[in-house]
Amino acid sequence: MLIEQRATSLPTSLLVVLVVWLAVLFASFGMFAPRNATVIAVLCISALSVSGALFIILEMTQPLDGMIKVSSAPLHKAIELLGK
């Protein structure tokens, strides 16, 4: 029963607000920082880091689907042992 139940994913409004907030934050950093290679590299690395974190958060809201999957075998084994 636990495996079949689907947990609700992140609210869409939370995700939209988070992405807009991060876009404004990075845009303001890019606008007010001096133009040089260090600033551009740091902004790119920061953007990749934030996008990777968002990807992992979205992947972990559905642990049995997606690119990163959690095996359900330990849960099946535990249920089997509880049934004995």
Side-chain angles (χ1 to χ4, degrees):
M1 187 171 166
L2 290 173
I3 294 172
E4 296 300 322
Q5 290 178 347
R6 297 276 180 177
T8 58
S9 63
L10 287 173
T12 307
S13 59
L14 173 70
L15 193 60
V16 167
V17 168
L18 182 63
V19 168
V20 168
W21 176 66
L22 287 170
V24 168
L25 189 68
F26 278 106
S28 67
F29 286 159
M31 217 177 346
F32 295 121
R35 305 278 192 267
N36 59 34
T38 304
V39 171
I40 292 172
V42 168
L43 282 175
C44 288
I45 290 170
S46 299
L48 286 173
S49 174
V50 169
S51 63
L54 284 174
F55 173 74
I56 298 241
I57 289 170
L58 290 175
E59 280 290 315
M60 288 296 123
T61 58
Q62 299 174 347
L64 300 176
D65 297 330
M67 290 180 63
I68 303 171
K69 295 180 184 173
V70 176
S71 175
S72 61
L75 185 58
H76 285 295
K77 183 80 170 170
I79 290 172
E80 183 181 303
L81 290 174
L82 287 173
K84 288 183 179 181

mmCIF file of all heavy atoms in Angstrom, residues 24-57:
data_model
loop_
_atom_site.group_PDB
_atom_site.id
_atom_site.type_symbol
_atom_site.label_atom_id
_atom_site.label_comp_id
_atom_site.label_asym_id
_atom_site.label_seq_id
_atom_site.Cartn_x
_atom_site.Cartn_y
_atom_site.Cartn_z
ATOM 1 N N VAL A 24 15.760 36.712 -10.816
ATOM 2 C CA VAL A 24 15.963 38.124 -10.469
ATOM 3 C C VAL A 24 17.284 38.301 -9.721
ATOM 4 O O VAL A 24 18.044 39.247 -9.972
ATOM 5 C CB VAL A 24 14.778 38.663 -9.632
ATOM 6 C CG1 VAL A 24 15.086 40.012 -9.012
ATOM 7 C CG2 VAL A 24 13.534 38.730 -10.480
ATOM 8 N N LEU A 25 17.577 37.384 -8.825
ATOM 9 C CA LEU A 25 18.823 37.448 -8.062
ATOM 10 C C LEU A 25 20.043 37.376 -8.975
ATOM 11 O O LEU A 25 20.956 38.199 -8.883
ATOM 12 C CB LEU A 25 18.847 36.311 -7.045
ATOM 13 C CG LEU A 25 19.945 36.312 -6.008
ATOM 14 C CD1 LEU A 25 19.744 37.484 -5.057
ATOM 15 C CD2 LEU A 25 19.923 35.011 -5.253
ATOM 16 N N PHE A 26 20.052 36.394 -9.884
ATOM 17 C CA PHE A 26 21.191 36.252 -10.786
ATOM 18 C C PHE A 26 21.252 37.399 -11.791
ATOM 19 O O PHE A 26 22.338 37.833 -12.185
ATOM 20 C CB PHE A 26 21.156 34.907 -11.507
ATOM 21 C CG PHE A 26 21.706 33.782 -10.675
ATOM 22 C CD1 PHE A 26 20.864 32.847 -10.110
ATOM 23 C CD2 PHE A 26 23.065 33.658 -10.456
ATOM 24 C CE1 PHE A 26 21.352 31.820 -9.337
ATOM 25 C CE2 PHE A 26 23.577 32.638 -9.691
ATOM 26 C CZ PHE A 26 22.716 31.716 -9.125
ATOM 27 N N ALA A 27 20.094 37.907 -12.223
ATOM 28 C CA ALA A 27 20.099 39.047 -13.138
ATOM 29 C C ALA A 27 20.687 40.282 -12.459
ATOM 30 O O ALA A 27 21.468 41.026 -13.065
ATOM 31 C CB ALA A 27 18.690 39.334 -13.627
ATOM 32 N N SER A 28 20.331 40.503 -11.184
ATOM 33 C CA SER A 28 20.879 41.672 -10.492
ATOM 34 C C SER A 28 22.373 41.509 -10.243
ATOM 35 O O SER A 28 23.127 42.475 -10.345
ATOM 36 C CB SER A 28 20.143 41.903 -9.173
ATOM 37 O OG SER A 28 20.412 40.850 -8.267
ATOM 38 N N PHE A 29 22.819 40.280 -9.930
ATOM 39 C CA PHE A 29 24.256 40.057 -9.776
ATOM 40 C C PHE A 29 24.984 40.331 -11.089
ATOM 41 O O PHE A 29 26.037 40.952 -11.109
ATOM 42 C CB PHE A 29 24.552 38.620 -9.343
ATOM 43 C CG PHE A 29 24.219 38.329 -7.914
ATOM 44 C CD1 PHE A 29 24.018 37.022 -7.509
ATOM 45 C CD2 PHE A 29 24.105 39.330 -6.966
ATOM 46 C CE1 PHE A 29 23.716 36.731 -6.194
ATOM 47 C CE2 PHE A 29 23.808 39.052 -5.648
ATOM 48 C CZ PHE A 29 23.611 37.746 -5.263
ATOM 49 N N GLY A 30 24.408 39.845 -12.192
ATOM 50 C CA GLY A 30 25.035 40.040 -13.490
ATOM 51 C C GLY A 30 25.038 41.484 -13.946
ATOM 52 O O GLY A 30 25.955 41.937 -14.631
ATOM 53 N N MET A 31 24.007 42.231 -13.547
ATOM 54 C CA MET A 31 23.904 43.616 -13.973
ATOM 55 C C MET A 31 24.869 44.525 -13.210
ATOM 56 O O MET A 31 25.466 45.434 -13.788
ATOM 57 C CB MET A 31 22.465 44.110 -13.745
ATOM 58 C CG MET A 31 21.983 45.018 -14.810
ATOM 59 S SD MET A 31 20.265 45.571 -14.643
ATOM 60 C CE MET A 31 19.503 44.562 -13.446
ATOM 61 N N PHE A 32 25.002 44.288 -11.914
ATOM 62 C CA PHE A 32 25.781 45.209 -11.085
ATOM 63 C C PHE A 32 27.235 44.773 -10.883
ATOM 64 O O PHE A 32 28.029 45.545 -10.353
ATOM 65 C CB PHE A 32 25.107 45.388 -9.728
ATOM 66 C CG PHE A 32 23.759 46.050 -9.842
ATOM 67 C CD1 PHE A 32 22.623 45.416 -9.380
ATOM 68 C CD2 PHE A 32 23.639 47.294 -10.435
ATOM 69 C CE1 PHE A 32 21.391 46.021 -9.490
ATOM 70 C CE2 PHE A 32 22.403 47.897 -10.551
ATOM 71 C CZ PHE A 32 21.275 47.259 -10.076
ATOM 72 N N ALA A 33 27.593 43.580 -11.278
ATOM 73 C CA ALA A 33 28.982 43.124 -11.124
ATOM 74 C C ALA A 33 29.811 43.619 -12.313
ATOM 75 O O ALA A 33 29.299 43.776 -13.421
ATOM 76 C CB ALA A 33 29.026 41.606 -11.070
ATOM 77 N N PRO A 34 31.075 43.856 -12.074
ATOM 78 C CA PRO A 34 31.931 44.273 -13.199
ATOM 79 C C PRO A 34 32.085 43.128 -14.200
ATOM 80 O O PRO A 34 32.031 41.953 -13.833
ATOM 81 C CB PRO A 34 33.270 44.608 -12.535
ATOM 82 C CG PRO A 34 33.256 43.894 -11.242
ATOM 83 C CD PRO A 34 31.825 43.774 -10.825
ATOM 84 N N ARG A 35 32.256 43.475 -15.456
ATOM 85 C CA ARG A 35 32.384 42.459 -16.496
ATOM 86 C C ARG A 35 33.826 41.965 -16.571
ATOM 87 O O ARG A 35 34.692 42.640 -17.111
ATOM 88 C CB ARG A 35 31.990 43.033 -17.853
ATOM 89 C CG ARG A 35 30.631 43.659 -17.927
ATOM 90 C CD ARG A 35 29.559 42.602 -18.126
ATOM 91 N NE ARG A 35 28.270 43.185 -18.471
ATOM 92 C CZ ARG A 35 27.333 43.482 -17.583
ATOM 93 N NH1 ARG A 35 27.557 43.306 -16.308
ATOM 94 N NH2 ARG A 35 26.185 43.965 -17.977
ATOM 95 N N ASN A 36 34.076 40.784 -16.014
ATOM 96 C CA ASN A 36 35.378 40.150 -16.168
ATOM 97 C C ASN A 36 35.182 38.638 -16.110
ATOM 98 O O ASN A 36 34.093 38.141 -15.815
ATOM 99 C CB ASN A 36 36.397 40.647 -15.134
ATOM 100 C CG ASN A 36 35.964 40.406 -13.711
ATOM 101 O OD1 ASN A 36 35.321 39.413 -13.422
ATOM 102 N ND2 ASN A 36 36.325 41.323 -12.830
ATOM 103 N N ALA A 37 36.224 37.912 -16.425
ATOM 104 C CA ALA A 37 36.114 36.453 -16.545
ATOM 105 C C ALA A 37 35.776 35.782 -15.220
ATOM 106 O O ALA A 37 35.024 34.801 -15.194
ATOM 107 C CB ALA A 37 37.421 35.889 -17.091
ATOM 108 N N THR A 38 36.274 36.308 -14.119
ATOM 109 C CA THR A 38 36.002 35.700 -12.815
ATOM 110 C C THR A 38 34.516 35.787 -12.469
ATOM 111 O O THR A 38 33.911 34.807 -12.018
ATOM 112 C CB THR A 38 36.840 36.400 -11.719
ATOM 113 O OG1 THR A 38 38.209 36.350 -12.076
ATOM 114 C CG2 THR A 38 36.631 35.736 -10.382
ATOM 115 N N VAL A 39 33.930 36.934 -12.669
ATOM 116 C CA VAL A 39 32.513 37.122 -12.358
ATOM 117 C C VAL A 39 31.649 36.236 -13.244
ATOM 118 O O VAL A 39 30.703 35.590 -12.767
ATOM 119 C CB VAL A 39 32.120 38.606 -12.514
ATOM 120 C CG1 VAL A 39 30.627 38.793 -12.412
ATOM 121 C CG2 VAL A 39 32.830 39.447 -11.489
ATOM 122 N N ILE A 40 31.968 36.160 -14.521
ATOM 123 C CA ILE A 40 31.200 35.322 -15.440
ATOM 124 C C ILE A 40 31.323 33.855 -15.062
ATOM 125 O O ILE A 40 30.332 33.114 -15.049
ATOM 126 C CB ILE A 40 31.645 35.576 -16.893
ATOM 127 C CG1 ILE A 40 31.233 36.991 -17.310
ATOM 128 C CG2 ILE A 40 31.025 34.546 -17.835
ATOM 129 C CD1 ILE A 40 31.779 37.431 -18.634
ATOM 130 N N ALA A 41 32.517 33.422 -14.705
ATOM 131 C CA ALA A 41 32.722 32.029 -14.301
ATOM 132 C C ALA A 41 31.955 31.712 -13.023
ATOM 133 O O ALA A 41 31.302 30.655 -12.920
ATOM 134 C CB ALA A 41 34.207 31.745 -14.116
ATOM 135 N N VAL A 42 32.006 32.611 -12.052
ATOM 136 C CA VAL A 42 31.295 32.382 -10.785
ATOM 137 C C VAL A 42 29.790 32.363 -11.016
ATOM 138 O O VAL A 42 29.074 31.531 -10.439
ATOM 139 C CB VAL A 42 31.700 33.450 -9.745
ATOM 140 C CG1 VAL A 42 30.773 33.426 -8.547
ATOM 141 C CG2 VAL A 42 33.134 33.235 -9.310
ATOM 142 N N LEU A 43 29.269 33.261 -11.834
ATOM 143 C CA LEU A 43 27.833 33.260 -12.136
ATOM 144 C C LEU A 43 27.414 31.975 -12.849
ATOM 145 O O LEU A 43 26.359 31.408 -12.553
ATOM 146 C CB LEU A 43 27.454 34.484 -12.966
ATOM 147 C CG LEU A 43 27.332 35.796 -12.199
ATOM 148 C CD1 LEU A 43 27.065 36.940 -13.166
ATOM 149 C CD2 LEU A 43 26.246 35.718 -11.161
ATOM 150 N N CYS A 44 28.218 31.503 -13.774
ATOM 151 C CA CYS A 44 27.896 30.251 -14.474
ATOM 152 C C CYS A 44 27.935 29.055 -13.527
ATOM 153 O O CYS A 44 27.031 28.210 -13.553
ATOM 154 C CB CYS A 44 28.852 30.039 -15.641
ATOM 155 S SG CYS A 44 28.571 31.156 -17.015
ATOM 156 N N ILE A 45 28.948 28.991 -12.691
ATOM 157 C CA ILE A 45 29.046 27.884 -11.738
ATOM 158 C C ILE A 45 27.897 27.939 -10.730
ATOM 159 O O ILE A 45 27.303 26.907 -10.391
ATOM 160 C CB ILE A 45 30.417 27.911 -11.025
ATOM 161 C CG1 ILE A 45 31.513 27.540 -12.015
ATOM 162 C CG2 ILE A 45 30.441 26.973 -9.825
ATOM 163 C CD1 ILE A 45 32.919 27.750 -11.496
ATOM 164 N N SER A 46 27.545 29.140 -10.285
ATOM 165 C CA SER A 46 26.430 29.290 -9.347
ATOM 166 C C SER A 46 25.109 28.894 -9.990
ATOM 167 O O SER A 46 24.283 28.229 -9.367
ATOM 168 C CB SER A 46 26.346 30.727 -8.848
ATOM 169 O OG SER A 46 27.520 31.082 -8.180
ATOM 170 N N ALA A 47 24.911 29.289 -11.229
ATOM 171 C CA ALA A 47 23.678 28.923 -11.933
ATOM 172 C C ALA A 47 23.586 27.413 -12.137
ATOM 173 O O ALA A 47 22.512 26.822 -11.975
ATOM 174 C CB ALA A 47 23.609 29.647 -13.269
ATOM 175 N N LEU A 48 24.707 26.780 -12.479
ATOM 176 C CA LEU A 48 24.710 25.316 -12.622
ATOM 177 C C LEU A 48 24.442 24.626 -11.288
ATOM 178 O O LEU A 48 23.724 23.621 -11.232
ATOM 179 C CB LEU A 48 26.038 24.850 -13.206
ATOM 180 C CG LEU A 48 26.242 25.110 -14.684
ATOM 181 C CD1 LEU A 48 27.673 24.749 -15.091
ATOM 182 C CD2 LEU A 48 25.247 24.305 -15.499
ATOM 183 N N SER A 49 24.981 25.163 -10.217
ATOM 184 C CA SER A 49 24.768 24.600 -8.889
ATOM 185 C C SER A 49 23.299 24.693 -8.473
ATOM 186 O O SER A 49 22.716 23.724 -7.975
ATOM 187 C CB SER A 49 25.651 25.329 -7.879
ATOM 188 O OG SER A 49 25.374 24.908 -6.586
ATOM 189 N N VAL A 50 22.698 25.852 -8.687
ATOM 190 C CA VAL A 50 21.290 26.041 -8.321
ATOM 191 C C VAL A 50 20.387 25.173 -9.191
ATOM 192 O O VAL A 50 19.439 24.554 -8.705
ATOM 193 C CB VAL A 50 20.907 27.530 -8.422
ATOM 194 C CG1 VAL A 50 19.411 27.722 -8.324
ATOM 195 C CG2 VAL A 50 21.616 28.316 -7.340
ATOM 196 N N SER A 51 20.672 25.098 -10.482
ATOM 197 C CA SER A 51 19.838 24.265 -11.355
ATOM 198 C C SER A 51 19.988 22.787 -11.010
ATOM 199 O O SER A 51 19.020 22.031 -11.061
ATOM 200 C CB SER A 51 20.161 24.511 -12.823
ATOM 201 O OG SER A 51 21.489 24.133 -13.102
ATOM 202 N N GLY A 52 21.186 22.364 -10.628
ATOM 203 C CA GLY A 52 21.380 20.987 -10.180
ATOM 204 C C GLY A 52 20.620 20.691 -8.907
ATOM 205 O O GLY A 52 20.033 19.615 -8.742
ATOM 206 N N ALA A 53 20.617 21.644 -7.972
ATOM 207 C CA ALA A 53 19.863 21.462 -6.723
ATOM 208 C C ALA A 53 18.371 21.373 -6.994
ATOM 209 O O ALA A 53 17.673 20.525 -6.418
ATOM 210 C CB ALA A 53 20.172 22.606 -5.766
ATOM 211 N N LEU A 54 17.862 22.227 -7.877
ATOM 212 C CA LEU A 54 16.435 22.163 -8.234
ATOM 213 C C LEU A 54 16.099 20.840 -8.916
ATOM 214 O O LEU A 54 15.045 20.247 -8.665
ATOM 215 C CB LEU A 54 16.054 23.333 -9.143
ATOM 216 C CG LEU A 54 15.902 24.675 -8.465
ATOM 217 C CD1 LEU A 54 15.679 25.767 -9.496
ATOM 218 C CD2 LEU A 54 14.774 24.646 -7.477
ATOM 219 N N PHE A 55 16.996 20.366 -9.766
ATOM 220 C CA PHE A 55 16.777 19.083 -10.431
ATOM 221 C C PHE A 55 16.687 17.955 -9.411
ATOM 222 O O PHE A 55 15.795 17.113 -9.475
ATOM 223 C CB PHE A 55 17.907 18.814 -11.434
ATOM 224 C CG PHE A 55 17.855 17.448 -12.044
ATOM 225 C CD1 PHE A 55 16.899 17.153 -13.001
ATOM 226 C CD2 PHE A 55 18.731 16.457 -11.650
ATOM 227 C CE1 PHE A 55 16.832 15.896 -13.559
ATOM 228 C CE2 PHE A 55 18.680 15.200 -12.199
ATOM 229 C CZ PHE A 55 17.722 14.912 -13.159
ATOM 230 N N ILE A 56 17.597 17.945 -8.445
ATOM 231 C CA ILE A 56 17.593 16.884 -7.421
ATOM 232 C C ILE A 56 16.334 16.975 -6.566
ATOM 233 O O ILE A 56 15.734 15.952 -6.226
ATOM 234 C CB ILE A 56 18.856 16.986 -6.544
ATOM 235 C CG1 ILE A 56 20.062 16.782 -7.408
ATOM 236 C CG2 ILE A 56 18.785 16.069 -5.348
ATOM 237 C CD1 ILE A 56 20.947 15.652 -7.122
ATOM 238 N N ILE A 57 15.919 18.186 -6.211
ATOM 239 C CA ILE A 57 14.694 18.350 -5.419
ATOM 240 C C ILE A 57 13.499 17.812 -6.186
ATOM 241 O O ILE A 57 12.659 17.091 -5.636
ATOM 242 C CB ILE A 57 14.487 19.830 -5.041
ATOM 243 C CG1 ILE A 57 15.524 20.248 -4.000
ATOM 244 C CG2 ILE A 57 13.085 20.072 -4.516
ATOM 245 C CD1 ILE A 57 15.573 21.734 -3.743
#
